[in-house]
Structures are given as structure tokens and as C-alpha cells.
Amino acid sequence: MEEEIKNIKLSFDKDLKNTKDVESLEGVRIRYLGRKGLVSGLLGRLSSLDEKTRPRIGKELNLLKTYVQNEFQNRKKILSVSEPGRERVDVTMPGILPQLGHLHPITKTLSEINEIFVSLGFTVAEGPEIETEFYNFEALNIPLEHPSRDAFDTFYIKGNVLLRSHTSTVQIRVMEKTQPPIQSIMPGRVYRPDAVDASHSFMFHQVEGLMVDKLIRFSDLKGTLDLFIKRIFGEKTKTRFRPSFFPFTEPSAEVDISCIICQGRGCRVCSHGGWLEILGAGMVNPRVFEAVGYSPGKFTGFAFGMGVERIAMLKYGIDDIRLFFDNDIRFLKQF
Ligand code: DAH
């Protein structure tokens, strides 16, 4: 029987090594440890041995049994870990933190602009991005021969339908619907077929402003914009109004801020002039009031329009507008 014990051990080792999965392992268990298995068979024959050899063989058989049991358990562990399709969760592993997103720098700048004007009593209005020539040009007193009406300056969709080239369109929509007093800002996307470079994008964001009532003066415009600029760029920022021209305002102005990089001393960013142009503004042209059906001479108002990307670029020191739209997480993560 000693020979048999040795052979069973050898064949068990071989069979165990050949098991590839938990199922074939179960076959091996039945073959050796089952009730009619090889190990049990030997144990059953123990009683037929004479009293002299029985203790020795019995001991060896018990050793074989524990050996087979232990090896079987070890193999089971190995096979069940590598078993495909079966998920094993190690609850002691450190967790993986989900990446938290945050607002896009343009969205952030937009809400900052909104907040400042809302705190001054302005409401927020929106209008469609697909517009007609009437809202984009005619109602805003932009004559047919004006270059911005050219197909090279505007995305036309079909006939007189186009992608709005400015948010001034929303001024008209707001005034058509409401009688003064009006005090609104109008944020949104605008489109121009410009070649894309560091300072141009075919799509960008603007915030339009409009205040209309019986006695709105240029000084109201100056006070409002000066306060806005100090809030968004810092209390030390100076404001400068330069005479300019827009068909929908009269008089019109371009508004500059003292360079926030060099505080007006002159640097590369402000082309050594000390000032940065930031927005257009003016007193609403009576022709615009006429277009929306307000009684002539009854109201005065101011309007302004600013580029959100330009403000964000100055605020955060970004030198290329394309960075906003590349979706490069390394850029976006910084804000
Ligand atoms: N709509 C002008 C533009 O896109 C910006 C602008 C200038 C808006 C003066 C205004 C304004 O309301 O009064 O260039």
C-alpha cells in the first residue's frame, strides 16, 4: 500500500496541475476526496491490514489526506481569482476620486458681468442666434450700403436670414415687447466669418446693455460703465470715452480702460499707449426708437456692447482667443 500512496500522490499532483478552472478542479476533488474517491478507498482498506503495519500506513494515509485537502484549497484560490467574468472587489483598496469639473472661463466671466449689472437693477434678456436682416440691420439703422451687411462680413443662411453678428438685435426684440422703463443686459453668442487667429474667432460672446426711460442722459451711461469697469477690473481702473460712430447710437463712444497690465504706463499689451479698448456705447438713436414704434421724442436711452472673450483675456492674461474653444483640459483646469 505504501507504493499506492506514493502513486496516488504523484497522480494527484499531476491532475491538480492540469486543472484550468474551478469546474475541472471539482472533478479532481471528487476523484480523490469523494466518497468513492482514491483516498477514501485506501482509508477503507486500512482495517484489513495487520496490527503491525496499520498505524504506520494509517499515519501516511492521513498525511496524504491533509496534503490533498490543502493543495486542493490552494489551487481553488488561485483558479477563482483568475476566473474571467467574476468580479472581485477589494474593499481595502484606496478609492479613485472622481474628477470634478468646473465652469468654463467664458461662463465664469459672463456670470460675473451678469451679477454686476443685476446688482444695479438690470434684468437679463435673451434673443435668437438665427435672425433676420431686420433685427440685425434695418431696425438698428444700419443702411444697405454698410459694409457689415456684405456676405463677407455676415453668415447668411438663406435670403434675409442670417446668424446674428451682434447682440444689438436683442435691443430691438426687448423694445418691441416692452414699454420703458427698460433696464436690461442681453448676453449671447454672435457669429462673423472672420479668419481665425489669436484675436479672431468666427463665434464669440457679447453682452449688450440697454437703458431707456424719460430722462436718461449720457452721464448715466458714463456712471454705469465706470462702475462696471471698476467692479470687473479693479477699483484703480480708469475709464476713457472716445467719440466714435455706430448707426444705432448718437452720439457714440468707444470706451477704453487704463491698461491693467502696466496700469497705464505703456507696455506691449496696450501697444505702449496705456489704454485698452473694451466696448462700444452711446445714446440710442431716435431712428431705433422709431423702428420699434415708440412715440417720437418721448424717451431717451443709452446702449452698450462688449466682447466677453476680450474681457476674459484681459482679466486672466490670456493671449490667444482660440484657447477658449480648443477644449484642452490643461488650459481649462487653470480657472
Ligand atoms: N454692436 C456693436 C458691435 O458688435 C457693439 C455696440 C456698440 C453695441 C455700441 C452697442 C453700442 O449697443 O451702443 O460691434
Side-chain angles (χ1 to χ4, degrees):
M1 252 172 97
E2 279 183 288
E3 197 65 13
E4 271 182 89
I5 292 174
K6 247 187 229 159
N7 286 339
I8 287 178
K9 187 171 179 286
L10 282 177
S11 75
F12 171 75
D13 282 344
K14 214 170 108 205
D15 285 352
L16 196 71
K17 234 171 141 185
N18 284 334
T19 53
K20 297 254 148 36
D21 49 35
V22 179
E23 260 142 58
S24 57
L25 183 69
E26 179 60 10
V28 173
R29 191 190 68 80
I30 291 167
R31 190 164 138 78
Y32 289 90
L33 294 173
R35 257 192 313 127
K36 289 177 187 160
L38 291 168
V39 178
S40 323
L42 284 184
L43 281 165
R45 276 161 51 202
L46 204 57
S47 53
S48 63
L49 295 176
D50 59 59
E51 265 168 52
K52 258 167 89 191
T53 46
R54 204 189 295 151
R56 191 166 50 80
I57 298 294
K59 203 173 155 198
E60 272 190 50
L61 262 176
N62 273 330
L63 280 176
L64 175 69
K65 197 177 168 188
T66 22
Y67 174 79
V68 167
Q69 279 169 340
N70 286 342
E71 289 300 290
F72 170 79
Q73 288 303 339
N74 288 343
R75 185 75 183 158
K76 192 172 174 182
K77 264 184 215 152
I78 292 167
L79 286 179
S80 50
V81 165
S82 57
E83 183 113 324
R86 206 176 285 190
E87 211 177 323
R88 231 146 289 278
V89 177
D90 182 351
V91 293
T92 65
M93 292 262 287
I96 300 164
L97 272 181
Q99 281 213 13
L100 278 188
H102 63 75
L103 295 176
H104 189 279
I106 291 299
T107 314
K108 272 186 140 166
T109 309
L110 253 174
S111 18
E112 231 179 288
I113 297 170
N114 285 355
E115 261 169 50
I116 296 170
F117 283 108
V118 166
S119 80
L120 295 175
F122 283 75
T123 58
V124 182
E126 279 183 306
E129 289 171 27
I130 297 173
E131 271 292 9
T132 61
E133 280 188 309
F134 174 76
Y135 288 98
N136 205 73
F137 300 125
E138 263 131 62
L140 288 161
N141 191 37
I142 300 173
L144 256 182
E145 66 276 9
H146 195 280
S148 68
R149 293 186 70 148
D150 197 285
F152 291 105
D153 272 316
T154 303
F155 280 120
Y156 279 87
I157 293 174
K158 208 177 183 189
N160 69 343
V161 179
L162 46 87
L163 292 179
R164 68 180 177 194
S165 59
H166 53 181
T167 45
S168 303
T169 53
V170 195
Q171 286 188 34
I172 305 301
R173 291 191 171 272
V174 167
M175 286 191 279
E176 273 182 342
K177 272 195 297 202
T178 17
Q179 282 292 311
I182 289 171
Q183 197 183 353
S184 288
I185 53 162
M186 295 144 265
R189 278 189 207 104
V190 301
Y191 302 85
R192 292 185 198 172
D194 286 337
V196 175
D197 63 25
S199 52
H200 292 86
S201 170
F202 55 85
M203 182 281 294
F204 57 98
H205 299 75
Q206 283 188 332
V207 174
E208 194 80 12
L210 178 68
M211 185 158 180
V212 184
D213 205 344
K214 287 212 171 102
L215 253 176
I216 303 296
R217 296 153 304 180
F218 199 91
S219 55
D220 296 314
L221 172 64
K222 282 190 87 171
T224 305
L225 288 180
D226 191 54
L227 187 144
F228 163 73
I229 283 164
K230 285 193 160 59
R231 290 249 181 108
I232 194 127
F233 290 113
E235 283 301 316
K236 292 210 180 92
T237 318
K238 290 196 195 78
T239 316
R240 177 174 83 171
F241 284 66
R242 270 183 296 112
S244 185
F245 173 79
F246 297 104
F248 33 93
T249 44
E250 182 59 35
S252 303
E254 262 164 294
V255 183
D256 300 335
I257 59 166
S258 54
C259 180
I260 54 169
I261 309 290
C262 63
Q263 279 75 44
R265 280 186 298 266
C267 69
R268 206 168 50 90
V269 174
C270 58
S271 309
H272 303 283
W275 295 94
L276 296 163
E277 191 202 314
I278 198 83
L279 52 84
M283 300 307 287
V284 180
N285 192 312
R287 293 228 188 157
V288 175
F289 288 144
E290 208 179 300
V292 297
Y294 285 176
S295 320
K298 200 168 170 193
F299 302 112
T300 58
F302 68 71
F304 57 85
M306 65 184 90
V308 181
E309 280 76 1
R310 174 136 176 92
I311 290 177
M313 286 168 84
L314 290 171
K315 246 183 101 71
Y316 295 119
I318 296 163
D319 60 4
D320 195 323
I321 194 171
R322 292 169 290 196
L323 288 164
F324 289 124
F325 309 117
D326 282 346
N327 273 340
D328 187 331
I329 210 86
R330 293 167 300 179
F331 168 75
L332 296 172
K333 255 185 6 200
Q334 303 172 81
F335 302 97

